[in-house]
Amino acid sequence: MSDADDDAFIAVTDLTKTFRVRRRSGLLRRTTSEVRAVDGISFTLRRGEMTGFIGPNGAGKSTTVKMLTGILTPSGGRLRVAGVDPWKERTRLVRRIGVVFGQRTTLWWDLPLRDSFGLVRRMYRIPRDRFEENLARCVELLELDGLLDVPVRQLSLGQRMRGDITAALLHDPDVLYLDEPTIGLDVISKARVRRFLARLNAERGTTVLLTTHDLSDIEQLCERVVVIDHGRLMYDGALSGLHEVGQGERTLVVDLERELPPVEGITGARTVRTEGPRQWLAFPASASAAPLVSQLVAAYPVVDLSLREPDIEDVIARMYEGSEGRSPSTDSGRPGVQPQR
Amino acid sequence: MHLLRLNLAVAASGFRRYATYRVATAAGVFTNTVFGFILAYTFLALWHERPHLGGYDQSQALTFVWTGQALLAAVALLGGGFQDEFHERIRNGDVAIDLYRPVDLQLWWLAHDLGRAAFQLVGRGVAPMAAGALVFDLALPSSPAVWLLFLLSALLAIVVSFALRYLWALCGFWLLDATGLSALSTLMSLFFSGMLLPLTVFPGGFGDAVRWLPWAATLQVPADVLLGAHPGGSLPGLAFQLVWAVVLLAAGRLLQFVATRKVVVQGG
């Protein structure tokens, strides 16, 4: 593509979105306050990158995605997607993006899947051979065989989701936005969807931005993760790096010869739990375990040792909590109107 | 060419979606017919007391009733059609999906509603009209040209009705829940279309006013075209409908422009 820089296929600079919220402050009086849903976010995504986009409810994820897809105007900052300014050229951009919502459907409730796909073909003016080819591929990989003539209202959630993903890919989008694509799906359906997405990204080089609360989606699919909260960027980088930023802790599980009082005197570690001869020692994820182990073995009768990596859920939760205390993302002090949480 | 094919495909999908529900259609035909009989006997009583009320003789008045029943579903005189669905999509935020599509929102829904109307004109219109014609002496025209003009007028009625309902539905962007508005729009349509009583019945300035309102284009005018009773002939009637169609569609376009620019799409 000549119209976009591959290293900054999606480029977001100081993106801001402010909503005016009016509330009653008296019998007839209303005060208007401004809520910053997105407060100066910057990041760039390379073409073909698959990135997880996470944050607690009300963090500004959906608002950001709505601006990236051109259905909301930014209040400030700059935004380029595939070389296009989404807001100004929405109709041009939508031909190059695909959007999948776990909680909404782009399919027509009363029509068979095949008819919904037919409408999509007309809408995006997809040449027939390309359409047939893409459809056949999705039908095969997403195991939609035999479901094409079933009205959408009769499909299960997992089947519908696979139908939605197909509908979003028939026009070969350069960018795919996925909003909780695995929500409510069973283990098998989740695995199927994830496998498909990984393959799509690997084989077709589709740039994917994945919004989810299911961190195992991210762990399995994304090397990079962008975390936002209160409209601000909290973290942007490799998934593994999250642990350090989130002050994640690793845990050393120690089996002693016999039941002893909680282990003491090991530099940088503290005992968080004991259960019979087994004890759990927590220490910062960034620290090395080796000196700890040698101190421990020198001072205590150790039978066995194992090391647990920090749980990503815990890391993220700690990160969200850490951002609680920050300045509120509103203009006029704290008017009581915060993004919904 | 692409645009035409797309809109034909959308209309065809609208047709198919409504054609799916056969039991609902049968129930609708039954309701229309019962409603038609109630109105017909009310009109009979009225025209018995006041012959030539509103310039119609008795069989013309009865024809007006059954024309209303035949058009009720197709023209969505009691609201509904795409309006409920579009309004619901605005309320729950699904409209975001519509905005992600490389198509024009208004044209999309117009094509869809025309497909629905085409089905309902046949599926819900023919049977009540036939039932009325069997039981009552109706003043139906024999000239195919008049029927053709009527069909054209019915098409314009559908477009005007669509344009009105589009405006009502768009208000949902501001009101967030427009259920009350929806009821109001139904009530206004019921009265100002001439569904309850032909608009020609109302005297004085009020009568003049209601005959110029856009709702007149949804039933009064097509019925008059069928009866050959439109003052000054059928063509001015069609022109009246066309003007309202253009004005209201343009207003809808403007409101859509404002709505999609300033308003928050609801729901995560």
Side-chain angles (χ1 to χ4, degrees), chain A residues 234-298:
Chain A
M234 307 290 300
Y235 178 78
D236 176 5
L239 189 61
S240 51
L242 251 184
H243 301 314
E244 287 157 40
V245 178
Q247 292 147 11
E249 287 187 320
R250 292 197 282 174
T251 310
L252 194 62
V253 185
V254 191
D255 284 329
L256 302 174
E257 260 173 17
R258 57 186 185 279
E259 201 167 326
L260 283 172
V263 169
E264 277 175 356
I266 308 294
T267 335
R270 62 202 162 83
T271 310
V272 288
R273 195 175 150 202
T274 58
E275 198 183 292
R278 178 171 287 191
Q279 302 208 7
W280 283 260
L281 273 75
F283 64 99
S286 48
S288 164
L292 245 99
V293 173
S294 53
Q295 279 187 57
L296 197 66
V297 173

Side-chain angles (χ1 to χ4, degrees), chain A residues 41-111:
Chain A
I41 285 181
S42 304
F43 61 86
T44 54
L45 301 189
R46 263 183 297 112
R47 190 183 178 91
E49 201 168 18
M50 195 156 182
T51 307
F53 191 44
I54 60 176
N57 293 328
K61 298 187 301 289
S62 292
T63 307
T64 306
V65 170
K66 278 171 186 163
M67 287 190 279
L68 285 172
T69 50
I71 64 168
L72 269 184
T73 28
S75 309
R78 285 193 308 123
L79 196 57
R80 302 290 285 178
V81 176
V84 168
D85 186 335
W87 172 248
K88 288 182 188 136
E89 299 170 85
R90 176 167 63 86
T91 34
R92 213 184 114 198
L93 180 71
V94 289
R95 289 184 187 284
R96 302 186 52 187
I97 63 173
V99 188
V100 176
F101 297 93
Q103 315 213 54
R104 305 181 190 282
T105 180
T106 54
L107 305 166
W108 285 268
W109 201 242
D110 315 281
L111 297 178

Side-chain angles (χ1 to χ4, degrees), chain A residues 190-262:
Chain A
K190 261 185 198 179
R192 201 181 273 153
V193 165
R194 285 176 187 157
R195 234 181 1 250
F196 177 79
L197 292 175
R199 194 162 161 181
L200 175 85
N201 177 250
E203 287 178 2
R204 329 240 344 149
T206 309
T207 309
V208 180
L209 190 65
L210 170 68
T211 306
T212 184
H213 288 297
D214 185 343
L215 293 168
S216 51
D217 279 350
I218 305 226
E219 281 180 300
Q220 294 189 18
L221 290 171
C222 308
E223 281 175 3
R224 180 172 166 200
V225 59
V226 172
V227 184
I228 68 167
D229 193 16
H230 288 101
R232 300 213 176 117
L233 195 73
M234 307 290 300
Y235 178 78
D236 176 5
L239 189 61
S240 51
L242 251 184
H243 301 314
E244 287 157 40
V245 178
Q247 292 147 11
E249 287 187 320
R250 292 197 282 174
T251 310
L252 194 62
V253 185
V254 191
D255 284 329
L256 302 174
E257 260 173 17
R258 57 186 185 279
E259 201 167 326
L260 283 172

Side-chain angles (χ1 to χ4, degrees), chain B residues 6 38 62 91 134 172 181 212 229 240-241 258:
Chain B
L6 167 66
I38 293 170
L62 289 170
R91 202 185 59 76
L134 275 175
L181 264 191
W212 282 104
F240 171 78
Q241 290 181 297
V258 179

Side-chain angles (χ1 to χ4, degrees), chain A residues 62 69 90 104 106 110 115, chain B residues 17 21 92 99-101 267:
Chain A
S62 292
T69 50
R90 176 167 63 86
R104 305 181 190 282
T106 54
D110 315 281
D115 291 21
Chain B
R17 290 181 60 191
Y21 300 105
N92 67 23
L99 292 172
Y100 286 135
R101 294 184 167 136

Side-chain angles (χ1 to χ4, degrees), chain A residues 157-212:
Chain A
L157 181 64
Q159 293 168 337
R160 201 218 73 205
M161 201 58 237
R162 284 179 273 143
D164 260 309
I165 292 174
T166 304
L169 293 173
L170 291 172
H171 62 288
D172 286 325
D174 295 320
V175 186
L176 181 64
Y177 297 97
L178 298 159
D179 190 359
E180 306 223 30
T182 59
I183 195 164
L185 300 190
D186 63 36
V187 186
I188 298 170
S189 298
K190 261 185 198 179
R192 201 181 273 153
V193 165
R194 285 176 187 157
R195 234 181 1 250
F196 177 79
L197 292 175
R199 194 162 161 181
L200 175 85
N201 177 250
E203 287 178 2
R204 329 240 344 149
T206 309
T207 309
V208 180
L209 190 65
L210 170 68
T211 306
T212 184

